[in-house]
Amino acid sequence: MDKYKIKKVGQDVIKLESMALAKLSRSLGKDFVKAVELISKQNGKIIISGVGKSGNIAGKIAASFTSTGIPAMYLNPVDASHGDMGIIEKNDILIILSNSGESHELSDLINFSKKKKIKIISITSFNKSLLTKNSDINLILPSHSEADKLKIIPTTSTTMSLALGDALCCTVLSLRKFDKKSFRELHPGGKIGKKLKTLNDIMDTDIPIIQTYSSILDAVLIMTEKKYGCVVVLDNSKKIKGIITDGDLRRSISKFDIKEKATKIMKSRPILAPSDLLISSAIILMNKHSITSLIIASHNKPIGIVNIKQCLEND
């Protein structure tokens, strides 16, 4: 097979699966809404099961739910038949993936769940299967063709099942009070955790501060000591009155006596940021205003400071 044909086969697979996904999107209806509502109101775990390739997809869907704060786990139906049924508890919801809906390995799991009155959501391609007959909500994959030349390897079907699981997870997430801060608490490590760090995680609370009565010389001394290239000017209420940068000093040194009040060279509207601002957003903010240090404030009172180097090292 030449290079062109190799590329063409790959493109055809992706095209076929993307068309199936578009068809799946159009097929979502009242059963999808019922499944989302059921999951969003649950007080127990989401248990997701499947055999073979469907089991692999089930494991990923369970991981997605868990990562967004919804307790979920993958249960191998074979293991369930050999002692793991005890994992299933009252108020749990069972999601079962099976392209045919006839996998015999699912029988014990289905029977046990029916006895315990556990709600079952199915993801399958056949609406008159053993699985659909025993499920409370059926999410039927629209008619499709597997992407391999034999039309038998789970490809298009598993792609649609995964996408449908993602759709369930993300739709439930949209109904809940779950933000980036909540997500970060569940992802403290790795690149995701790093990207979700806020200024609160890296800010220095030893802020270069002077008072409104302080002199330009005081500003120079504090700025030199703290090494942030700026000082924050506070009023009698300890609120931010303004800021003086090393650039302000250089531009003004020949115009004023260093014993004069620092407020003469102060900028009255410094750029401030909240402590929950993402580090990546802080970098954008500093670049936008051409500043190298950023004051973190709450109710116009300084609570911390960061510089661009700190942010870049932690982004």
Side-chain angles (χ1 to χ4, degrees):
M1 186 182 293
D2 62 31
K3 292 181 180 179
Y4 171 78
K5 289 183 178 179
I6 291 173
K7 180 180 176 182
K8 181 68 166 55
V9 171
Q11 290 175 330
D12 287 345
V13 169
I14 294 172
K15 183 178 180 181
L16 181 67
E17 294 195 2
S18 64
M19 290 172 63
L21 289 177
K23 194 174 182 180
L24 174 64
S25 175
R26 294 191 296 270
S27 75
L28 298 186
K30 60 182 181 180
D31 289 321
F32 178 80
V33 174
K34 288 179 181 178
V36 169
E37 291 176 339
L38 178 62
I39 295 170
S40 64
K41 295 175 182 177
Q42 61 86 27
N43 294 315
K45 305 184 296 297
I46 307 296
I47 297 175
I48 310 177
S49 187
V51 182
K53 302 298 186 293
S54 292
N56 295 333
I57 300 302
K60 190 276 174 186
I61 296 173
S64 294
F65 273 111
T66 301
S67 73
T68 56
I70 299 174
M73 62 173 292
Y74 167 66
L75 176 61
N76 187 311
V78 177
D79 292 337
S81 296
H82 291 274
D84 285 357
M85 290 290 190
I87 290 171
I88 304 174
E89 301 174 298
K90 183 181 178 181
N91 297 323
D92 287 349
I93 295 172
L94 181 62
I95 300 177
I96 301 178
L97 283 67
S98 173
N99 188 40
S100 68
E102 297 290 347
S103 300
H104 68 86
E105 295 93 339
L106 298 171
S107 298
D108 290 340
L109 181 59
I110 293 172
N111 291 334
F112 179 84
S113 298
K114 295 290 286 184
K115 286 181 182 179
K116 295 294 182 180
K117 297 183 179 180
I118 302 296
K119 296 290 185 181
I120 300 175
I121 300 171
S122 73
I123 296 179
T124 180
S125 296
F126 298 94
N127 60 10
K128 292 184 179 180
S129 63
L130 172 69
L131 177 57
T132 54
K133 290 176 182 177
N134 287 280
S135 297
D136 298 280
I137 300 173
N138 293 304
L139 302 179
I140 307 299
L141 303 178
S143 60
H144 59 274
S145 174
E146 300 294 7
D148 66 292
K149 68 178 183 179
L150 301 176
K151 305 299 180 185
I152 57 174
I153 299 174
T155 47
T156 308
S157 58
T158 51
T159 298
M160 286 198 293
S161 295
L162 178 59
L164 188 51
D166 287 341
L168 285 172
C169 180
C170 294
T171 306
V172 171
L173 180 63
S174 70
L175 301 178
R176 300 169 56 238
K177 293 181 179 180
F178 192 86
D179 53 19
K180 287 183 176 180
K181 182 180 178 182
S182 303
F183 190 84
R184 182 179 173 271
E185 289 176 352
L186 299 173
H187 298 76
K191 192 172 183 180
I192 291 178
K194 195 173 182 182
K195 284 293 182 183
L196 293 174
K197 275 189 175 182
T198 64
L199 293 179
N200 187 62
D201 297 307
I202 65 167
M203 69 181 186
D204 185 356
T205 55
D206 187 14
I207 310 164
I209 290 172
I210 61 172
Q211 308 300 320
T212 51
Y213 55 77
S214 300
S215 66
I216 295 175
L217 177 59
D218 293 328
V220 172
L221 294 174
I222 294 296
M223 195 180 299
T224 303
E225 177 188 345
K226 303 298 184 182
K227 299 179 181 179
Y228 273 98
C230 67
V231 290
V232 183
V233 183
L234 302 185
D235 61 18
N236 293 333
S237 300
K238 296 184 180 181
K239 291 191 175 182
I240 299 171
K241 185 77 173 177
I243 191 171
I244 300 171
T245 67
D246 53 3
D248 296 327
L249 284 173
R250 287 194 300 272
R251 288 186 292 270
S252 305
I253 198 69
S254 61
K255 300 177 184 178
F256 297 98
D257 189 311
I258 59 173
K259 294 182 180 179
E260 289 189 74
K261 283 190 175 182
T263 50
K264 288 198 172 184
I265 61 171
M266 174 189 75
K267 289 178 181 175
S268 59
R269 292 184 179 179
I271 305 301
L272 305 178
S275 62
D276 61 354
L277 183 69
L278 291 176
I279 293 174
S280 55
S281 299
I283 293 172
I284 294 172
L285 182 63
M286 283 189 274
N287 285 332
K288 178 182 178 181
H289 294 280
S290 300
I291 56 177
T292 57
S293 293
L294 183 63
I295 308 302
I296 297 94
S298 176
H299 303 293
N300 205 36
K301 290 186 177 182
I303 58 174
I305 185 171
V306 294
N307 61 30
I308 191 73
K309 183 180 179 182
Q310 286 173 282
C311 291
L312 289 172
E313 287 175 347
N314 287 275
D315 184 43

